[in-house]
Amino acid sequence: MITTNVKYNTETKLLGMLGYPLGHSVTSIVHNAMYQWGNINAIFIPMEVEDKPGNLDRFFDAIDVFHVLGFSVTMPYKTRLIPYIDACPEECRVFGCVNNVKIEEDGRRTGVSYDGYGMGQALEEAGCSIKGKQVLILGAGGISGITAYEFVKRGAAKVVILNRTAEKAEKVAQQLHDYTGIEAVAGPLTKEALDRAAPDSQIVAQCTSLGLNGHAADFEYLGFVEKLPKDAVIEDAIFNPLQTSILKAGAAAGLTTINGISMLANQMTAIIAFYFGIDLGVGGKYEAASTIIRAMRDRAQKTRA
């Protein structure tokens, strides 16, 4: 698809990324590349807001003043926006997770979350049916509940949630059971719990920050990967690095592995449709994936330099 460069003018829409810190993020690069590719008259900028009392209120005041069309959300704010949102899908309220907010023409704020959608879509596009399977969710943070819900919506038979703090996993599992009726169990992210869950888990969704580039912590134990069924799939929400320690362990065991690039590319096309009502199709998804990879490679080269 051939496009012309967008010329910024008085009709240009302003969007951004809310989070802190944002030095590691390539989201702005990806959004702006997608806008140019799709001939969308918009610009996307980082909106780094330090995590201090009152700053989120001031952020929303600024959003209104500058007539921002919308913004994406990353840590630490994904689970804090529900009180500021006028409308969102019920599951976002249930699991307290929003990752994009659109400011409507009348000033109302509409929130959505495409984290779970991205994870589920990436799995099915890789040929992995979720229907009737047990899903093992690693982590109980901002995206875990909404991702578990997406898997249930796509037919998962049972969900196991393991987290370093077991109480958080229990809360998410209870929310999931109460909302969907699915069998959902929880436990600590320990060797014993991983080994116990592994033999019956055909899908593993890695939703923690373990193994993230720039994040010191990683999995202390990955032996459970060898106990997974031979046809199991491991999906990681992380896309930097492309091959995390758990994905490497899965590949070594002969399992299908999926990194976070596909999840993010699927999110990007859904986000574009959410803000602009434009379907960029399969071509847009491939463009998003290639842009993410280029941005990561460029950033790595600059870091080494």
Side-chain angles (χ1 to χ4, degrees):
M1 179 178 181
I2 300 175
T3 64
T4 57
N5 289 337
V6 174
K7 304 298 183 183
Y8 304 124
N9 52 38
T10 57
E11 300 299 318
T12 302
K13 301 299 183 183
L14 175 62
L15 301 95
M17 166 65 82
L18 167 65
Y20 185 84
L22 293 178
H24 65 287
S25 177
V26 298
T27 302
S28 296
I29 297 171
V30 177
H31 268 267
N32 287 317
M34 295 301 294
Y35 298 166
Q36 180 173 328
W37 190 85
N39 264 340
I40 299 170
N41 189 359
I43 186 170
F44 192 100
I45 64 173
M47 296 177 175
E48 193 171 69
V49 177
E50 193 170 356
D51 189 12
K52 290 183 177 180
N55 271 3
L56 199 52
D57 292 311
R58 287 190 281 272
F59 169 77
F60 275 98
D61 288 340
I63 287 293
D64 293 337
V65 169
F66 286 101
H67 302 291
V68 173
L69 174 62
F71 57 92
S72 294
V73 189
T74 189
M75 299 304 290
Y77 297 112
K78 279 190 178 184
T79 59
R80 302 188 196 176
L81 294 189
I82 294 297
Y84 296 88
I85 302 303
D86 298 304
C88 66
E90 185 180 3
E91 61 267 21
C92 288
R93 294 196 184 278
V94 170
F95 299 105
C97 183
V98 166
N99 77 344
N100 278 272
V101 177
K102 181 179 180 181
I103 313 302
E104 308 292 349
E105 290 185 3
D106 62 1
R108 287 172 57 82
R109 302 162 182 165
T110 300
V112 293
S113 177
Y114 290 117
D115 288 313
Y117 169 80
M119 294 283 277
Q121 195 70 7
L123 272 171
E124 294 191 344
E125 287 179 354
C128 174
S129 173
I130 300 170
K131 188 174 182 179
K133 294 182 178 178
Q134 175 173 301
V135 178
L136 172 58
I137 304 280
L138 305 181
I143 73 170
S144 299
I146 205 78
T147 298
Y149 167 74
E150 184 70 26
F151 289 151
V152 172
K153 190 168 72 172
R154 293 177 186 244
K158 180 180 178 180
V159 175
V160 178
I161 303 172
L162 303 181
N163 188 60
R164 184 178 60 180
T165 306
E167 291 78 10
K168 290 184 179 179
E170 291 164 2
K171 179 181 179 181
V172 175
Q174 189 64 54
Q175 289 171 328
L176 186 66
H177 172 73
D178 291 345
Y179 187 49
T180 68
I182 192 78
E183 181 182 359
V185 299
L189 192 62
T190 61
K191 176 182 183 298
E192 294 74 20
L194 288 165
D195 284 346
R196 188 163 52 247
D200 297 317
S201 298
Q202 294 96 342
I203 297 171
V204 178
Q206 202 299 103
C207 298
T208 75
S209 58
L210 296 174
L212 177 66
N213 190 26
H215 187 76
D218 205 341
F219 283 92
E220 296 179 0
Y221 172 70
L222 287 170
F224 75 97
V225 169
E226 297 178 359
K227 298 177 173 62
L228 293 167
K230 294 305 179 183
D231 61 347
V233 178
I234 301 177
E235 181 179 25
D236 202 326
I238 292 172
F239 62 89
N240 187 12
L242 293 176
Q243 293 299 313
T244 56
S245 59
I246 191 171
L247 294 185
K248 289 178 181 177
L255 306 181
T256 298
T257 61
I258 305 171
N259 63 33
I261 293 289
S262 182
M263 168 197 173
L264 192 56
N266 276 293
Q267 280 200 69
M268 277 302 306
T269 54
I271 290 168
I272 295 294
F274 171 62
Y275 286 126
F276 305 105
I278 297 172
D279 181 4
L280 295 182
V282 175
K285 193 181 302 180
Y286 285 134
E287 180 67 18
S290 61
T291 300
I292 296 164
I293 294 171
R294 286 197 305 270
M296 288 169 52
R297 183 173 60 241
D298 292 346
R299 178 151 296 178
Q301 290 175 347
K302 290 179 181 178
T303 300
R304 286 195 294 270

